[in-house]
Amino acid sequence: MRIGLAINYAGGFKEVAAEVADLERAGLDIVFVPEAYSFDAVSALGYLAASTERVQLASGILQLYTRTPTLTAMTAAGLDYVSDGRFTLGLGASGPQVIEGFHGVPYDAPIARTREVIEICRRVWRRENLQYQGKHYTIPLPADQGTGLGKPLKIINHPVRERIPILVAALGLKNVELAAEIAEGWQPIFFLPEKAQQVWGQALAAGRAKRDSVLGELDVYAGPMLAIGEDVEPLREFVKPQLALYIGGMGAKGKNFYHALATNYGYGSQADRIQELYLAGDKDGAAKAVPDELVRDINLIGAPGFVQERVAAFREAGVTTLNVVPIAGTPAERVKLIEMLRELID
């Protein structure tokens, strides 16, 4: 089981780079750079490629709608080149609040667009003369939609790999099925091992039944918060505001993927209450309404024995990478947590 970590997109990545190098030495396997409505992820990934040696680098995630599929492929090939083949392309649809609210682009057909973007990326990396006829992307652009001067081109450079690993961040059943079918990896959020089969089992099985064997086994990336110690259980309260934000505030009623997930986990009435309070402006009340059991079971916060048991539960549920968020105040403390987790996993 690998250990991953997402850097904080609210901070400056120049300051983070030295810490990532230390985490690499502590046993970190992969680092994710998010891209919400922050600094772009690509700048940070290039910076990290130059300041690390072994750790894998991943976008977590690049949003489908903010780049053309071809530019996404070019960017991934460039990052794979500067990192000597250490890049994983994390893709996701994000949500309408960011895509329409910050980028001014319609949020439509995320599942179909995911498939088409992945297909186009792989053609670019294989250095094919790019011709693609999809429902959402047509390359070259037809004459009746442009000047008529477009012609099939292939990427000038030779990519380090013709199949850069792709992981898809997905929660909806159809998108999870798609990830299991065509991507190297799947990244859910708020992964609860004991309920994973109940919520996603059929979708994963349906996708795997159509999966090309060349892709290998599906990597599953879970993202628990991490704190290890005999006296760290009170830190579970630290997690509740984030869960309240997602369950209560990331979308309107009926349009919130995270509220739906909590409901599918069996916390429907609590999710409704969290959303009601959050949308009414009572963020503290919403955080207090987050169930203790949910916080306990989706994270790695507790004594070493408890954390080791939960790691085993994640592994049993099919998780191959723990993309952790260490709860620590200093870089040295975060390094120590990664070292401790490495020992518990091994």
Side-chain angles (χ1 to χ4, degrees):
M1 182 177 278
R2 297 190 302 170
I3 300 175
L5 178 146
I7 69 169
N8 184 355
Y9 50 68
F13 50 79
K14 289 193 291 185
E15 292 79 10
V16 171
E19 181 179 344
V20 170
D22 290 337
L23 290 165
E24 178 181 46
R25 289 187 285 272
L28 187 71
D29 297 297
I30 185 168
V31 61
F32 286 76
V33 179
E35 186 175 80
Y37 39 101
S38 55
F39 287 151
D40 74 290
V42 179
S43 298
L45 286 161
Y47 197 92
L48 288 172
S51 56
T52 57
E53 297 177 356
R54 177 193 60 82
V55 71
Q56 299 288 305
L57 306 173
S59 54
I61 50 143
L62 297 187
Q63 299 148 351
L64 295 176
Y65 303 89
T66 57
R67 297 169 176 84
T68 68
T70 314
L71 178 58
T72 298
M74 294 163 60
T75 299
L79 288 169
D80 206 43
Y81 170 71
V82 298
S83 65
D84 296 320
R86 291 186 284 138
F87 180 64
T88 294
L89 174 60
L91 290 172
S94 186
Q97 286 183 314
V98 173
I99 300 305
E100 296 184 356
F102 193 64
H103 294 282
V105 177
Y107 184 90
D108 67 332
I111 298 172
R113 286 185 183 275
T114 300
R115 181 183 292 276
E116 293 189 16
V117 168
I118 290 173
E119 289 175 350
I120 292 168
C121 282
R122 288 176 173 155
R123 293 187 186 191
V124 171
W125 300 332
R126 292 194 298 264
R127 301 193 74 240
E128 297 178 7
N129 285 321
L130 188 57
Q131 293 179 283
Y132 189 85
Q133 182 70 48
K135 183 176 180 180
H136 301 282
Y137 303 103
T138 301
I139 304 170
L141 195 66
D144 61 354
Q145 296 181 30
T147 65
L149 299 176
K151 64 178 182 179
L153 300 170
K154 65 181 177 182
I155 188 170
I156 294 171
N157 312 86
H158 288 259
V160 174
R161 294 178 288 178
E162 70 171 25
R163 205 187 82 231
I164 296 168
I166 294 174
L167 71 87
V168 173
L171 291 179
L173 296 182
K174 289 296 184 182
N175 221 358
V176 171
E177 179 179 335
L178 180 70
E181 177 191 350
I182 67 172
E184 281 83 2
W186 167 52
Q187 185 179 22
I189 192 172
F190 306 140
F191 189 91
L192 202 168
E194 289 79 4
K195 297 292 180 69
Q197 178 64 27
Q198 170 189 317
V199 174
W200 290 303
Q202 289 186 348
L204 289 168
R208 284 175 168 133
K210 297 175 285 186
R211 186 176 181 83
D212 190 330
S213 61
V214 74
L215 295 173
E217 292 297 319
L218 181 70
D219 284 326
V220 180
Y221 298 75
M225 294 276 194
L226 175 68
I228 305 172
E230 299 296 340
D231 57 351
V232 300
E233 288 189 11
L235 290 177
R236 293 175 185 168
E237 295 298 315
F238 175 80
V239 178
K240 289 186 175 182
Q242 183 205 34
L243 279 164
L245 165 63
Y246 278 80
I247 296 171
M250 286 289 194
K253 287 187 177 181
K255 299 291 184 181
N256 183 318
F257 309 126
Y258 313 101
H259 178 281
L261 177 61
T263 300
N264 289 335
Y265 280 161
Y267 295 103
S269 60
Q270 296 95 324
D272 288 344
R273 182 58 176 161
I274 293 165
Q275 188 175 62
E276 176 186 356
L277 291 167
Y278 201 96
L279 294 180
D282 186 0
K283 297 180 181 180
D284 290 339
K288 291 176 183 176
V290 174
D292 293 338
E293 297 85 357
L294 179 61
V295 175
R296 179 196 66 203
D297 292 342
I298 66 174
N299 293 300
L300 299 174
I301 302 174
F306 171 82
V307 171
Q308 193 166 38
E309 290 175 1
R310 295 310 296 159
V311 167
F314 277 94
R315 181 184 282 116
E316 180 67 22
V319 171
T320 56
T321 300
L322 292 169
N323 191 31
V324 300
V325 181
I327 304 175
T330 67
E333 290 172 334
R334 286 188 283 274
V335 167
K336 181 61 176 176
L337 280 174
I338 296 300
E339 290 174 339
M340 294 172 70
L341 181 60
R342 181 83 274 163
E343 291 178 4
L344 293 176
I345 289 176
D346 294 343

